[in-house]
Amino acid sequence: MAFGRRAIIFLILVAGAMPVQLRGAELVGLVKEADTGKMIVGASVRAIPLSKNFQEVLSRTNGNGRYHLDLLKGKYRLFLSFPGSDYLPQFYSTNDQPQGETIDIPTFDSFRIINLTMNSGGSIAGKVVRFSDNTALSNIRITASSQEFRTSVTTRSDGSYLFRALPPGNYRVQAMPLNENFIPIYYGDVRDAEKSAIVALERKQAQTHIDFRLRNGGMVSGRVFANKTREPLAGVKVIAENLSVDERPPFAVTDSQGFYSLRGLSPGEYILEAQAPNESGNSLKPTRSYIMQYHSGRYYRELADKLEIVPGSVLTGVSFALMESGSLTGKVRSRYHNAPLGGVSVIPQEISEELPVAPTAKTN
């Protein structure tokens, strides 16, 4: 009898030492096409917890379009996706909330059924080649942007690209070389977005042959530094204005060593301009700022040296030595009453030569 009691106590102790497995609540359902009601096989359903202490739970639909999630007690949002297809990724919502609605799992032994639907988007595909010999160009960034959506891909080794699962809309498609010296263009063989051809896309529509033929451009590179100390200036915007065509001027920003490089410049006659940012922002302390300068060492646009760019031209060593600007401060008072006068314009006039546009300040 004593042995029996010891055995019972031993069994209780062993049972107490065993890990307890928490049983999760079950969330199941079907994933179907919104239009046809066809079951979708291989779709991903993610339960994203609102609590940071929980992890996401993932399920993929089986051959019958069914998913199954084991969840702990808490609040979740459901996210549907199907990479590599034209199905649009989306959060589950019955009232069209972009961020989805909250799913409440009240207990560990609860059981819920939520059937989900997915909508199909459209696709845009094409190829990018070199204009001169139709050689396929890889690693070219292609962007597709509508009023509410923007995405990008890069071309494959054969120059082809493909956008999938695009929401319906009117798209502007642009080819942007990443490292090579090609001129970036929009579909329609133009550089200006407003003049580009529109690619209209509807649900389940495939727009193909949105192709690009890229021309070689010109390149200008150099360095920007402080004239007084010869220290490199980072964050300076170097703008290239093409006087031959009406297009938005491209620009580059200097790196930590003051170097910049402008690639893919269209043929034409250019004016280069360097604009340095204010180093101390909105600080009340005296600011270190530099005077805007045109190439080469000019301070007025009318006197700037012009650069001629032709396809394939490479101009190096186009540098800027920026002068640190000075400042004038003071106070304006009434001559008779000695009262401060606000709103008075103070215009410095250079006596060595006439300024085309004189700088102006107003009293506070």
Side-chain angles (χ1 to χ4, degrees):
M1 191 69 179
F3 175 77
R5 283 197 295 269
R6 286 196 297 271
I8 293 172
I9 293 171
F10 175 75
L11 290 174
I12 293 174
L13 291 174
V14 170
M18 293 177 65
V20 178
Q21 293 184 350
L22 292 177
R23 180 184 176 187
E26 291 184 276
L27 178 61
V28 300
L30 300 172
V31 180
K32 306 178 183 179
E33 285 189 357
D35 294 335
T36 65
K38 176 184 174 182
M39 301 299 176
I40 301 177
V41 178
S44 297
V45 181
R46 283 184 167 83
I48 303 175
L50 271 60
S51 172
K52 295 182 179 179
N53 297 324
F54 290 3
Q55 293 184 342
E56 285 188 12
V57 182
L58 169 66
S59 175
R60 288 188 174 85
T61 55
N62 61 16
N64 297 319
R66 183 177 182 271
Y67 73 93
H68 181 280
L69 294 166
D70 290 320
L71 304 176
L72 298 176
K73 176 183 177 181
K75 297 182 183 297
Y76 299 83
R77 291 184 300 162
L78 296 181
F79 183 74
L80 293 80
S81 64
F82 199 146
S85 76
D86 284 334
Y87 291 114
L88 298 173
Q90 62 192 67
F91 282 98
Y92 164 71
S93 176
T94 56
N95 51 8
D96 297 327
Q97 296 182 27
Q99 297 302 318
E101 60 185 69
T102 301
I103 305 298
D104 187 19
I105 304 298
T107 62
F108 288 111
D109 57 356
S110 63
F111 180 84
R112 291 193 63 178
I113 300 175
I114 299 180
N115 293 323
L116 308 171
T117 59
M118 299 187 73
N119 291 300
S120 294
S123 64
I124 297 176
K127 192 172 184 179
V128 182
V129 299
R130 183 186 286 118
F131 184 87
S132 58
D133 55 11
N134 288 328
T135 300
L137 297 176
S138 62
N139 201 34
I140 302 294
R141 178 177 294 166
I142 310 296
T143 62
S145 56
S146 66
Q147 189 172 359
E148 298 178 350
F149 187 78
R150 179 182 174 88
T151 186
S152 66
V153 296
T154 54
T155 56
R156 308 181 184 102
S157 59
D158 63 352
S160 65
Y161 72 91
L162 172 63
F163 291 103
R164 305 202 72 165
L166 294 176
N170 294 324
Y171 286 84
R172 300 183 190 275
V173 186
Q174 184 185 26
M176 300 180 62
L178 295 175
N179 296 312
E180 297 187 69
N181 191 18
F182 292 105
I183 300 173
I185 57 172
Y186 284 90
Y187 181 60
D189 199 22
V190 295
R191 292 203 63 171
D192 191 347
E194 298 302 320
K195 299 177 182 177
S196 64
I198 298 295
V199 180
L201 192 66
E202 299 179 359
R203 294 179 58 192
K204 298 187 177 181
Q205 183 181 13
Q207 288 280 19
T208 58
H209 302 294
I210 309 301
D211 301 330
F212 296 87
R213 300 178 68 198
L214 299 187
R215 296 175 174 84
N216 287 98
M219 185 178 75
V220 177
S221 64
R223 200 178 192 192
V224 181
F225 49 87
N227 182 70
K228 185 176 181 179
T229 63
R230 315 305 285 183
E231 294 179 355
L233 297 178
V236 177
K237 181 184 289 188
V238 181
I239 304 169
E241 180 187 356
N242 191 340
L243 303 179
S244 307
V245 297
D246 182 18
E247 63 181 20
R248 182 174 299 177
F251 68 89
V253 178
T254 57
D255 61 17
S256 60
Q257 298 301 313
F259 290 104
Y260 76 91
S261 179
L262 286 156
R263 296 174 180 267
L265 298 178
S266 303
E269 196 174 45
Y270 282 82
I271 289 179
L272 260 62
E273 171 187 334
Q275 295 181 355
N278 192 320
E279 290 190 1
S280 58
N282 296 324
S283 172
L284 296 178
K285 297 180 180 179
T287 61
R288 177 186 294 178
S289 58
Y290 294 88
I291 303 173
M292 181 180 67
Q293 188 182 113
Y294 295 92
H295 176 71
S296 147
R298 309 290 186 174
Y299 296 99
Y300 307 118
R301 186 176 182 277
E302 292 77 8
L303 303 177
D305 291 338
K306 299 175 178 61
L307 298 174
E308 186 70 27
I309 298 294
V310 298
S313 63
V314 177
L315 302 180
T316 60
V318 182
S319 300
F320 295 85
L322 300 189
M323 297 281 291
E324 191 170 341
S325 66
S327 63
L328 295 172
T329 61
K331 200 167 188 178
V332 178
R333 294 178 177 274
S334 166
R335 179 176 182 179
Y336 298 103
H337 305 288
N338 201 35
L341 298 177
V344 177
S345 295
V346 181
I347 307 173
Q349 184 67 42
E350 191 175 30
I351 60 174
S352 59
E353 60 179 305
E354 185 177 352
L355 288 173
V357 180
T360 304
K362 279 188 177 295
T363 59
N364 60 16

